[in-house]
């Protein structure tokens, strides 16, 4: 579990201390002040009355934590949260770029635990979890009504242990079942390679503290190899540290042009202008509904101030900025509070709306197909959503069931037999547990093959076109 437990665009507490003390920047508007005398008396009285009169012994520290959680919940902001010492420690580790768990970032929305994005290569991604999925239960325990930190504690667990999740997905009539083996997630946030035609591709999975330096390294390497155009991939990137995304954007946005605007509660705007020089080669950015927060800042800056094309799907839509307060708490716990909203260079607030791509490109239907329920075998003449999922998988793998409506007809039987033969399974046309698992594993490998990635291929093609057009105009 990404350890902040919520999608966050972070200003670190160190930057808070520096800016607030000098009266500069948006954080200068964050003022401190303790409880008034009557407020302190009221809360203290409630604490004493509970401890003195409740019919069972109570843990005073839990009461205090509960009071703080209550204050945070009253804000009705899924991105402002209180973390106990252990959760706070894990959150800091996630910002540094490594953590353990299932490898997904979640937020709390309308009392639901919602997946913002699975991390690339994580157990969650490999299992097939998607952005916007709602986690209903973990190992049989409902998450309904739980505080987010409590829900996260149920999802987390030792490496090698299983998290059995029940998930609700938009467009799927029945809840989905996932069994995910928890693991260490060593987050390499930047991956790069060169495509034919000297088109570079840099994928950013999260904006952690080391991401800016890693991006510069990979960009310099591609440029030294003669790169003529670049595709930046921030699909399923849930965000991260504000200063890092500004540093990356600055390399593409010409000097003096805006990267992002941050507006505080008093409507005062702090404008981040580029000190860079821009690039003379075409740039495209890939995004999807799991691209959020810092990813959206980069998308807006490149589109509006650097002329880059955005390709893929509408982004997540998270337009607020948080800062974390740990040293002020004094006991290792942490408050993460929304202190401002951010705007694109042209002044748009994309919160809950996202950014529309310049070129909309969907992935094939099998990229988001629901897993098959393995409680019972699927066979001829059945008609249900699991059969539909199997048909979508078979069709995606090239076995042509002839339909994808959930009815298990003779052509579907033939397609299953053909797949079973290729997988060296008993070719009986029945989708049992072994066949279902083999089908899902084959599909995962298929999806990982870049040649089937519609969005990536379109991005590369668009950059190649721009390279060709630029060459012909010389």
């Amino acid at each position: 579990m990404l350890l902040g437990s919520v999608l966050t665009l972070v200003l670190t507490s160190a930057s808070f201390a520096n800016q607030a003390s000098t009266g500069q920047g948006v954080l200068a508007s964050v003022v401190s002040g303790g409880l008034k005398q009557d407020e302190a008396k009221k809360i203290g009285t409630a604490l004493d009355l509970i401890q003195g009169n409740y019919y069972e012994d109570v843990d005073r520290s839990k009461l205090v934590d509960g009071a703080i959680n209550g204050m945070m919940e009253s804000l009705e902001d899924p991105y402002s949260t209180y973390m106990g010492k252990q959760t706070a420690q894990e959150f800091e580790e996630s910002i540094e770029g490594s953590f353990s768990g299932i490898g997904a970032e979640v937020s709390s929305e309308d009392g639901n635990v919602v997946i913002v994005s699975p991390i690339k290569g994580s157990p969650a991604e490999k299992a097939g979890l998607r952005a916007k999925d709602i986690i209903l239960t973990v190992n049989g325990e409902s998450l309904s009504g739980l505080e987010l930190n409590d829900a996260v504690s149920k999802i987390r667990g030792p490496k090698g242990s299983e998290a059995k999740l029940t998930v609700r997905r938009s467009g799927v009539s029945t809840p989905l079942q996932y069994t995910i083996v928890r693991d260490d997630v060593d987050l390499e946030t930047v991956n790069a390679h060169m495509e034919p035609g000297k088109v570079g591709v840099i994928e950013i999975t999260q904006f952690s503290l080391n991401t800016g330096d890693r991006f510069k390294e990979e960009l310099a390497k591609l440029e030294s190899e003669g790169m003529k155009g670049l595709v930046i991939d921030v699909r399923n990137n849930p965000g991260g540290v504000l200063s890092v995304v500004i540093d990356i954007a600055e390399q593409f946005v010409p000097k003096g042009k805006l990267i992002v605007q941050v507006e505080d509660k008093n409507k005062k705007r702090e404008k981040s202008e580029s000190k860079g020089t821009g690039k003379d080669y075409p740039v495209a950015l890939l995004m999807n509904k799991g691209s959020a927060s810092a990813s959206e800042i980069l998308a807006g800056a490149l589109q509006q101030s650097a002329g880059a094309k955005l390709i893929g799907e509408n982004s997540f839509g998270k337009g607020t900025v948080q800062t974390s307060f740990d040293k002020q708490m004094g006991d290792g716990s942490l408050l993460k509070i929304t202190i401002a909203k951010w705007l694109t260079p042209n002044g748009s607030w994309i919160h809950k709306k996202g950014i529309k791509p310049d070129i909309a490109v969907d992935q094939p239907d099998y990229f988001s197909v629901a897993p098959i329920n393995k409680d019972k075998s699927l066979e001829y003449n059945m008609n249900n959503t699991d059969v539909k999922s199997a048909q979508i998988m078979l069709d995606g793998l090239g076995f042509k069931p002839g339909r994808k409506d959930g009815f298990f007809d003779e052509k579907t039987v033939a397609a299953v037999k053909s797949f079973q033969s290729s997988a060296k399974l008993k070719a009986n046309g029945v989708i049992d547990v072994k066949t279902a698992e083999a089908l899902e594993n084959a599909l995962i490998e298929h999806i990982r093959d870049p040649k089937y990635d519609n969005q990536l291929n379109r991005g590369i093609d668009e950059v190649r076109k721009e390279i060709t057009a630029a060459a012909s105009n010389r």
Side-chain angles (χ1 to χ4, degrees):
M1 185 59 54
L2 234 169
L3 303 165
S5 309
V6 292
L7 173 65
T8 179
L9 180 61
V10 177
L11 287 167
T12 64
S13 55
S15 67
F16 165 79
N18 181 53
Q19 294 184 47
S21 64
T22 58
Q24 299 174 354
V26 69
L27 283 172
S29 65
V30 181
V31 294
S32 61
L35 291 170
K36 296 177 182 177
Q37 187 174 0
D38 57 338
E39 293 170 337
K41 181 180 179 182
K42 183 176 181 179
I43 293 173
T45 299
L47 189 67
D48 288 341
L49 286 172
I50 293 169
Q51 194 167 27
N53 294 283
Y54 191 66
Y55 81 105
E56 291 182 344
D57 290 338
V58 294
D59 184 332
R60 192 176 179 89
S61 64
K62 283 188 177 181
L63 292 178
V64 173
D65 284 353
I68 299 173
N69 274 317
M71 284 190 280
M72 302 309 291
E73 288 177 7
S74 71
L75 298 174
E76 297 182 349
D77 174 12
Y79 309 114
S80 295
T81 185
Y82 170 69
M83 304 177 204
K85 182 176 181 180
Q86 180 63 30
T87 307
Q89 180 180 341
E90 293 164 349
F91 170 69
E92 296 297 341
E93 289 171 358
S94 74
I95 294 300
E96 291 169 5
S98 64
F99 52 92
S100 62
I102 67 170
E105 185 155 4
V106 299
S107 68
S108 177
E109 298 179 16
D110 300 323
N112 296 315
V113 178
V114 181
I115 293 178
V116 174
S117 180
I119 301 300
K120 184 177 178 64
S122 69
E125 192 221 27
K126 291 175 183 176
L129 290 176
R130 309 291 180 200
K132 305 288 188 179
D133 282 351
I134 296 173
I135 303 176
L136 303 175
T137 68
V138 179
N139 294 331
E141 295 187 60
S142 174
L143 301 187
S144 178
L146 292 182
E147 295 174 355
L148 187 58
N149 288 340
D150 291 336
V152 169
S153 70
K154 293 185 181 299
I155 300 171
R156 290 179 55 81
K159 175 182 177 180
S161 62
E162 288 187 347
K164 295 181 179 180
L165 308 183
T166 303
V167 170
R168 184 166 72 240
R169 178 174 296 166
S170 177
V172 180
S173 58
T174 57
L176 309 175
Q177 306 294 327
Y178 291 91
T179 298
I180 302 175
V181 179
R182 301 176 178 101
D183 200 358
D184 292 333
V185 180
D186 185 12
L187 192 60
E188 171 53 77
T189 60
V190 179
N191 300 286
H193 69 277
M194 188 80 82
E195 290 284 333
K198 294 296 182 179
V199 176
V201 177
I202 301 181
E203 177 189 38
I204 309 172
T205 60
Q206 182 184 332
F207 294 93
S208 297
L209 291 174
N210 64 347
T211 302
D213 290 338
R214 287 286 297 115
F215 185 89
K216 287 179 181 178
E217 290 172 9
E218 295 297 342
L219 182 62
K221 182 179 177 182
L222 290 171
E223 289 178 338
S224 71
E225 295 172 0
M227 182 179 70
K228 298 179 180 178
L230 176 65
V231 176
I232 300 174
D233 186 354
V234 293
R235 291 174 297 173
N236 293 325
N237 180 325
V241 181
L242 178 60
S243 60
V244 172
V245 69
I246 290 175
D247 186 42
I248 291 173
E250 197 166 44
Q251 297 170 69
F252 302 94
V253 175
K255 185 176 180 178
K257 287 196 172 185
L258 286 179
I259 294 174
V260 66
Q261 306 179 66
V262 179
E263 183 177 285
D264 68 12
K265 64 193 300 181
N266 299 314
K267 307 300 181 183
K268 178 183 177 183
R269 289 190 187 181
E270 180 179 311
K271 299 181 178 182
S272 294
E273 294 184 355
S274 176
K275 301 179 181 66
T277 57
K279 299 292 183 181
D280 60 0
Y281 49 72
V283 177
L285 181 138
L286 306 182
M287 63 184 192
N288 62 11
K289 61 185 177 182
S291 303
S293 196
S295 295
E296 294 171 297
I297 287 180
L298 183 61
L302 294 188
Q303 179 193 51
Q304 296 176 14
S305 295
K309 286 184 178 178
L310 308 184
I311 298 171
E313 305 164 15
N314 203 80
S315 63
F316 183 88
K318 193 267 185 179
T320 55
V321 182
Q322 286 70 44
T323 192
S324 57
F325 300 85
D326 53 357
K327 294 186 172 51
Q328 294 88 342
M329 301 301 287
D331 62 353
S333 61
L334 176 150
L335 277 181
K336 183 157 62 60
I337 301 175
T338 298
I339 58 145
K341 61 183 182 181
W342 67 264
L343 311 171
T344 64
N346 69 10
S348 298
W349 193 36
I350 58 87
H351 198 58
K352 297 185 178 180
K353 296 180 291 185
I355 299 176
K356 291 183 178 180
D358 297 302
I359 303 173
V361 181
D362 292 327
Q363 297 288 43
D365 56 1
Y366 58 82
F367 269 63
S368 56
V369 65
I372 299 168
N373 187 339
K374 302 171 186 64
D375 289 343
K376 58 183 179 180
S377 296
L378 307 176
E379 54 189 48
Y380 176 69
N381 216 32
M382 284 186 169
N383 190 354
N384 57 46
T385 55
D386 287 312
V387 174
K388 181 178 180 179
S389 292
Q391 289 170 331
I392 292 172
M393 293 179 192
L394 288 164
D395 186 72
L397 292 169
F399 290 96
K400 305 300 179 188
R403 65 196 305 161
K404 294 184 281 186
D405 61 359
F407 179 64
F408 206 130
D409 63 356
E410 291 182 357
K411 204 165 183 181
T412 302
V413 172
V416 172
K417 286 181 178 179
S418 180
F419 170 75
Q420 288 171 327
S421 295
S422 71
K424 298 181 179 178
L425 298 170
K426 182 180 179 181
N428 59 6
V430 176
I431 303 177
D432 56 9
V433 173
K434 286 187 177 180
T435 300
E437 289 177 346
L439 193 56
E440 290 174 352
N441 290 334
L443 188 69
I444 289 171
E445 292 303 313
H446 183 85
I447 289 171
R448 287 176 179 167
D449 190 330
K451 70 182 178 182
Y452 302 115
D453 187 336
N454 289 349
Q455 294 165 345
L456 175 61
N457 292 328
R458 182 63 181 272
I460 293 169
D461 287 345
E462 289 298 321
V463 170
R464 283 179 182 147
K465 288 178 186 177
E466 293 191 37
I467 292 171
T468 301
S472 64
N473 290 333
R474 288 174 185 165

